[in-house]
Every structure is written in structure tokens, then in C-alpha cells.
């Protein structure tokens, strides 16, 4: 009888494995080019119906994206995705903050208004919660009676906390008609030394509000990513099975909902995602996936697919569960399927340098999502911590104990059982404070543009089509980083991996 070779049998067969690659395993082959990096067009899509001017999203994590960072992302042309460790009411308020941030005329449903009989204390609290510094005062019919601002009431010199708004408001209100232009509104504000003008119909009913800050910001950010009404784009993460949150986000005006799950190829998750996609008007991006089979299961109903099983800087999914897909291979598998159905792909996690971001696009992604890269910015939630003279901000995985204690466990399909210890799939960490989001984005996108120059691609779709990879050896990887020198001055776009 012939001796069995070691590869006979179903288990030995398992070791005939395909290779899966990630960022450091590959480089873009330099190609003939006439593309000047600054002239490259970096606009793209994040989902079937939502276009961005930068192919970059910020992660739905509680140490990365709340409204402040989301506003910054959309102003620069990208998209912020609100995390879901907040209750639905807070999420709706956050979407409102993003949508109000850049409007020329804030539409009626987004204008924060006061009633004449509210107390000064109540209106003060409302303005702080809503993040506005003034509010038109309207009666039950929405007729404008006056306007109240923070300076009218604080520091409570002339009015008492229990007084009615009616007593402190300015009742000779300057209003503008519905067809007011930016120029006319600015003139009104300069002439009357005011910062906001209610927009009214012929019967003096409130239909909107123009603010000085809104007009000036709009002028400053011509590249902003906006919806059809000119408001900044907003993305919202919703858990699998969170139908109510999804509907609330949709009604609040979110442009894209992101089904936020560590393993979207779970069939119950897919069923729920499909039901949500059928219910809402917003686009629905399904994630995370990392294989061809998962992409095939979702591509018929998803408006976008988000890729990433364990590449994130704070992830321990791969070591804890033994499962995962190196990110470049994962993106190519998903993009093979998605591109046949015209469904955009987002590469989520593991991006440390701008070069990684453009490699992800070359592998088939339409846009990239980053967490750690933005967690150290001024606009990210949380305060700056100083240790040994260096500044840091907190950054934690949504599957870390701290984040799961605040509700993030569902992403990992883990029930919250009382008195039971979590099995985390992420860590809690600190990341160097990096300053403003706009300078971080400038470095990230500048590097991506350089990559486009090297491969001779003028647009993001051209990167996907033209770019080729070469495989890099361990020696090649070492050669690719600064070597044989001692770095004396930190570069704004490079710090060695510890
Ligand atoms: P980066 O590398 O940009 O990755 O910091 C951000 C992405 O990581 C995912 N994420 C996690 N993955 N455990 C995980 O396995 C976690 O606790 C965790 N938290 C976030 C997520 O996709 C994010 O966009």
C-alpha cells in the first residue's frame, strides 16, 4: 500500500491556503504619467447616490466622530460618520448640528425656536444643548414675535431666571423675505449690527434663518461636501437590528446610514440591513465585510460596502477570534464583486500613512475610512492629556471594554448581560495630539495626490483602473522607510511605527 503523503485528507488540504496581503506587502508600480498631483481630481462616491469631494471618511467611533469632527470633514469635502454610543435623541440633535452648520438659509425644521412664555432659564439651557447662540421667538402659528440671544439673557443682570422670554427678547425684529440672497442678507446684518435674520413668508411666518457665521463659512469652504439643499453631508452609524435609530437618523436628514457591525456576513445582520435599506430614503452602506462571498450576499440591496475585518489600529479581533482578512486582499475581493454592480467600496481601518490610503483605492476602494488618523485632532471628542510634556488624546476601539460599557457591544454581536465580563475585541489607548483636522487632511490627501501622480491617474476611477501592485519583500519594506539615519525633525506626515 502506498504511503500517504502529508497533504492527503481533508485537514491537510486546509493548509493549501491562498495568500492574503496587506498594505506593507505591496507598492504601487510607478507608471508613465503627465498628472501633476495638484491637478488630480480626488472626488469620489461613498455610496450609490452620495458624492464627496475628498475620498475620505472618519470612523464611527466615540473617540473620533461627533458633530464637530463631522462638520470639519464635510467642510473639507469628505464625510464624518457619527458613532452610535449615544442615544437616538442625541444622535438626532447631532445630525441637526451638522445640517445647520453650513446652510445659507437654515430651513424651518432645523431652526431652534423659543416660545414667548418659556423661562429665561429654560431658553438658556435649550440654546446650550442645541449649540446655538440665539433663537427666533414664535407663537403657536409660527408668527415671529421677536428674537432672543445669549447676550440678551446672560449674565442674568437685567432678567431673572424665572422671567419669561417675552420680557427679554428684542421685539423689533429685522426679517428677510424667502428669496433673500447671501449679499442682501449680509447687508441687512451689517446695517443693523446683527448676526442672524429670520426668514419669513408674506404673513410673517417663520420659514428659515440666515446667520452671519453660516454665510461666511460657506464662502470659506467651496470644496465642502453638500446635499442637494446645500447642507453639509452627514453619515450615521446604526447597529444591526436598530430599526428605530435608522428611521430617526433618516428623518433627521442623514445622507448615508452605515450598518455598523464587525461581521456583516452574519445572515441575521444582512436580513436586518436589507429591511432597513427598504425602509429609509438615505443610502445604506453595509459593513463590515472582507470576502467575495460576503460581498455577493449584500451587493443586491446595499448602496455601498465597507471592508475591514480586523485591520484597525485598536482592533484585537484577529488575535481574540482567530479570524480576519488582511486588508488589501479583502478590498480586492469585495471590489471584484461590487464593481460588477456599480456599488462603491469603502476601505475601513489599518491606514497609517497616505500611501496606505491610495493603495486601498488602487485595490478597488472608492473611498477610505480612518480612525486613529483623526483621533488625535482638535475636533475629535475628548480632551487633550499631557504626559511628560507631550500631548495626547484618548483613542479606543468600539469593541474595547470602555466603549462596550457605553453600549458598543452590539457591533460585535455581543449581548449586554448584567454582571458578566465582556470579551473585548479592541483596546483603549492614547494617540499623539495632532492639531487641526484640516492640516491632517491636507497631508493625507496631498500624499494620495502624489500617488496619483506616480501611477498617472487623474481621477479616483482611473487609479482603480490603472494602478498595478508589486510585491514587497521584508528587505524592500525596510528600504521603504527612512533607514540608517537618526530622524532629527519630525515630518508632518511620517512617524516611525514603534
Ligand atoms: P484605524 O486603523 O483607522 O481603524 O484606527 C478604525 C476602524 O477600526 C474598526 N474598529 C474596531 N475593530 N475592534 C475591532 O476589531 C474594535 O474595538 C474596533 N473599533 C473600531 C472600525 O471599523 C474603525 O472604522
Amino acid at each position: 500500500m502506498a504511503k500517504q503523503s502529508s497533504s492527503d485528507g481533508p485537514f491537510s488540504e486546509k493548509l493549501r491556503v491562498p495568500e492574503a496581503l496587506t498594505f506593507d506587502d505591496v507598492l504601487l508600480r510607478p507608471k508613465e504619467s503627465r498628472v501633476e498631483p495638484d491637478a488630480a481630481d480626488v472626488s469620489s462616491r461613498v455610496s450609490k447616490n452620495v458624492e464627496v469631494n475628498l475620498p475620505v471618511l472618519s470612523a464611527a467611533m466615540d473617540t473620533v466622530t461627533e458633530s464637530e469632527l463631522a462638520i470639519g470633514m464635510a467642510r473639507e469635502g469628505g464625510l464624518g460618520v457619527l458613532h452610535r454610543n449615544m442615544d437616538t435623541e442625541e444622535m438626532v440633535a447631532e445630525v441637526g448640528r451638522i445640517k445647520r452648520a453650513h446652510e445659507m438659509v437654515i430651513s424651518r425644521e432645523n431652526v431652534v425656536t423659543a416660545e414667548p412664555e418659556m423661562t429665561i432659564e429654560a431658553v438658556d439651557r435649550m440654546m446650550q444643548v442645541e449649540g446655538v447662540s440665539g433663537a427666533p421667538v414664535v407663537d403657536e402659528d409660527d408668527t415671529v414675535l421677536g428674537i432672543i440671544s445669549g447676550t440678551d439673557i446672560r449674565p442674568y443682570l437685567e432678567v431673572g431666571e424665572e422671567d419669561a422670554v417675552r420680557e427679554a427678547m428684542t421685539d423689533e425684529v429685522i426679517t428677510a423675505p424667502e428669496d433673500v440672497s447671501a449679499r442682501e442678507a449680509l447687508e441687512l446684518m451689517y446695517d443693523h449690527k446683527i448676526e442672524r435674520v429670520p426668514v419669513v413668508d408674506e404673513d410673517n411666518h417663520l420659514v428659515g434663518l440666515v446667520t452671519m457665521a453660516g454665510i461666511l463659512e460657506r464662502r470659506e469652504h467651496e470644496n465642502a461636501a453638500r446635499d442637494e439643499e446645500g447642507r453639509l453631508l452627514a453619515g450615521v452609524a446604526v447597529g444591526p437590528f436598530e430599526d428605530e435609530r435608522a428611521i430617526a437618523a433618516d428623518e433627521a436628514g442623514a445622507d448615508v446610514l452605515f450598518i455598523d457591525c464587525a461581521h456583516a456576513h452574519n445572515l441575521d445582520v444582512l436580513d436586518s440591513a436589507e429591511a432597513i435599506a427598504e425602509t429609509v430614503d438615505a443610502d445604506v452602506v453595509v459593513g463590515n465585510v472582507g470576502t467575495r462571498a460576503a460581498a455577493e450576499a449584500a451587493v443586491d440591496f446595499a448602496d455601498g460596502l465597507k471592508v475591514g475585518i480586523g485591520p484597525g489600529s485598536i482592533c484585537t479581533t484577529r488575535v481574540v477570534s482567530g479570524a480576519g482578512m488582511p486588508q488589501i486582499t479583502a478590498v480586492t475581493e469585495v471590489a471584484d464583486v461590487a464593481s460588477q454592480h456599480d456599488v462603491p467600496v469603502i476601505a475601513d481601518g489599518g491606514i497609517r500613512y497616505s500611501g496606505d490610503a491610495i493603495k486601498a483605492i488602487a485595490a478597488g476602494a472608492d473611498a477610505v475610512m480612518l480612525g486613529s488618523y483623526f483621533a488625535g485632532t482638535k475636533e475629535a471628542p475628548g480632551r487633550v492629556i499631557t504626559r511628560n510634556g507631550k500631548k495626547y488624546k484618548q483613542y479606543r476601539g468600539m469593541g474595547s471594554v470602555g466603549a462596550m460599557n457605553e453600549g458598543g457591544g452590539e457591533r460585535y454581536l455581543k449581548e449586554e448581560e448584567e454582571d458578566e465580563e465582556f470579551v473585548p475585541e479592541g483596546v483603549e489607548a492614547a494617540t499623539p495630539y495632532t492639531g487641526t483636522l484640516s492640516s491632517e487632511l491636507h497631508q493625507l490627501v496631498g500624499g494620495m495626490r502624489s500617488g496619483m501622480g506616480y501611477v498617472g491617474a487623474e481621477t479616483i476611477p482611473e487609479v482603480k483602473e490603472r494602478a498595478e501592485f508589486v510585491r514587497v519583500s521584508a528587505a524592500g519594506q525596510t528600504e521603504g522607510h527612512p533607514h540608517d539615519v537618526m530622524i532629527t525633525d519630525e515630518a508632518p506626515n511620517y512617524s516611525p511605527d514603534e
Side-chain angles (χ1 to χ4, degrees):
M1 207 169 76
K3 205 173 158 211
Q4 281 202 330
S5 91
S6 62
S7 60
D8 283 344
F11 295 102
S12 314
E13 246 338 279
K14 290 187 193 211
L15 291 181
R16 292 178 192 271
V17 283
E19 192 170 43
L21 303 178
T22 192
F23 299 106
D24 280 348
D25 296 319
V26 293
L27 277 172
L28 299 173
R29 176 189 285 279
K31 290 184 130 181
E32 184 180 272
S33 171
R34 274 193 203 280
V35 177
E36 300 298 336
D38 285 346
D41 174 359
V42 289
S43 61
S44 190
R45 286 187 309 167
V46 296
S47 58
K48 277 188 174 169
N49 303 298
V50 176
E51 289 174 10
V52 282
N53 294 323
L54 298 183
V56 183
L57 296 88
S58 64
M61 300 172 71
D62 61 5
T63 46
V64 180
T65 312
E66 291 184 350
S67 56
E68 192 180 346
L69 192 115
I71 290 169
M73 287 295 297
R75 267 183 191 154
E76 299 293 331
L79 179 70
V81 184
L82 294 174
H83 69 82
R84 60 187 186 84
N85 266 6
M86 59 178 99
D87 61 30
T88 301
E89 205 179 312
E90 178 58 13
M91 177 273 293
V92 166
E94 286 277 271
V95 173
R97 285 181 196 119
I98 301 167
K99 289 291 171 189
R100 275 197 304 272
H102 242 217
E103 278 178 317
M104 156 65 195
V105 176
I106 302 170
S107 53
R108 171 64 189 96
E109 64 273 18
N110 285 326
V111 180
V112 177
T113 54
E115 291 148 27
E117 304 313 330
M118 266 173 111
T119 64
I120 295 295
E121 191 204 3
V123 84
D124 192 9
R125 202 173 43 232
M126 176 189 81
M127 290 200 287
Q128 289 189 37
V129 169
E130 298 286 349
V132 297
S133 56
V137 183
V138 293
D139 69 9
E140 287 139 22
D141 288 342
D142 252 2
T143 304
V144 178
L145 305 175
I147 193 154
I148 184 110
S149 76
T151 44
D152 292 330
I153 53 180
R154 266 174 256 130
Y156 298 111
L157 286 179
E158 313 229 326
V159 286
E161 291 185 1
E162 293 307 316
D163 288 349
V165 162
R166 180 186 291 286
E167 290 164 42
M169 72 186 189
T170 305
D171 45 15
E172 281 175 22
V173 200
I174 308 296
T175 57
E178 287 174 82
D179 58 357
V180 66
S181 69
R183 190 182 184 82
E184 289 161 348
L186 268 183
E187 273 170 11
L188 270 178
M189 290 189 234
Y190 283 129
D191 288 350
H192 295 89
K193 299 196 171 30
I194 49 178
E195 299 214 329
R196 58 185 73 73
V197 176
V199 178
V200 293
D201 65 13
E202 285 163 1
D203 301 321
N204 203 33
H205 291 139
L206 184 70
V207 291
L209 184 75
V210 194
T211 67
M212 174 86 82
I215 295 180
L216 296 183
E217 272 170 14
R218 254 181 103 91
R219 280 197 181 167
E220 236 177 79
H221 299 97
E222 285 181 340
N223 202 35
R226 300 176 196 282
D227 63 19
E228 281 171 358
E229 292 169 38
R231 303 174 304 172
L232 294 180
L233 291 185
V236 173
V238 300
F241 322 117
E242 278 192 322
D243 305 34
E244 274 176 29
R245 181 185 289 264
I247 291 167
D250 189 41
E251 286 174 356
D255 302 278
V256 196
L257 306 188
F258 291 76
I259 304 297
D260 187 36
C261 181
H263 181 37
H265 202 181
N266 174 302
L267 297 180
D268 294 329
V269 171
L270 283 177
D271 288 346
S272 148
E274 186 167 5
I276 290 175
E278 275 166 15
T279 316
V280 297
D281 288 333
D283 273 6
V284 172
V285 171
V286 177
N288 277 9
V289 292
T291 62
R292 195 178 303 275
E296 274 160 3
V299 79
D300 284 336
F301 67 86
D303 298 307
L305 292 172
K306 189 150 71 68
V307 182
I309 310 287
S313 58
I314 34 49
C315 301
T316 52
T317 289
R318 293 185 190 169
V319 282
V320 168
S321 71
M325 275 293 272
Q327 185 70 340
I328 287 286
T329 295
V331 172
T332 54
E333 283 205 14
V334 173
D336 276 345
V337 178
S339 59
Q340 300 299 313
H341 294 77
D342 194 32
V343 170
V345 171
I346 298 163
D348 172 18
I351 292 170
R352 303 147 302 165
Y353 302 111
S354 46
D356 295 343
I358 197 70
K359 286 178 196 175
I361 305 251
D366 295 83
V368 291
M369 176 178 264
L370 300 90
S372 70
Y373 200 93
F374 297 130
T377 60
K378 181 169 106 8
E379 290 85 347
R383 62 189 178 86
V384 177
I385 316 155
T386 307
R387 282 272 155 81
N388 301 327
K390 281 201 85 176
K391 291 178 173 174
Y392 300 88
K393 282 188 102 162
Q394 188 197 18
Y395 181 46
R396 66 181 183 189
M398 292 301 278
S400 65
V401 173
M404 290 218 274
N405 272 330
E406 281 170 45
E410 211 182 350
R411 182 171 202 271
Y412 299 86
L413 303 172
K414 288 171 184 168
E415 301 279 328
E416 283 171 50
E417 302 279 349
E418 251 180 65
D419 301 331
E420 216 179 90
E421 251 183 61
F422 283 121
V423 179
E425 289 188 25
V427 295
E428 297 179 62
T431 185
Y433 176 68
T434 47
T436 62
L437 174 68
S438 81
S439 80
E440 283 300 278
L441 270 172
H442 173 74
Q443 291 299 335
L444 179 69
V445 178
M448 294 173 77
R449 286 175 180 279
S450 293
M452 294 170 78
Y454 280 106
V455 300
E458 240 163 13
T459 64
I460 295 296
E462 256 181 59
V463 177
K464 291 177 20 179
E465 210 176 287
R466 258 181 83 84
E468 290 172 20
F469 288 117
V470 291
R471 179 74 202 272
V472 186
S473 65
Q477 282 175 28
T478 310
E479 185 186 60
H481 285 260
H483 51 85
D484 304 312
V485 293
M486 187 184 79
I487 295 179
T488 53
D489 292 284
E490 262 176 43
N493 54 358
Y494 180 81
S495 54
D497 255 353
E498 300 292 327

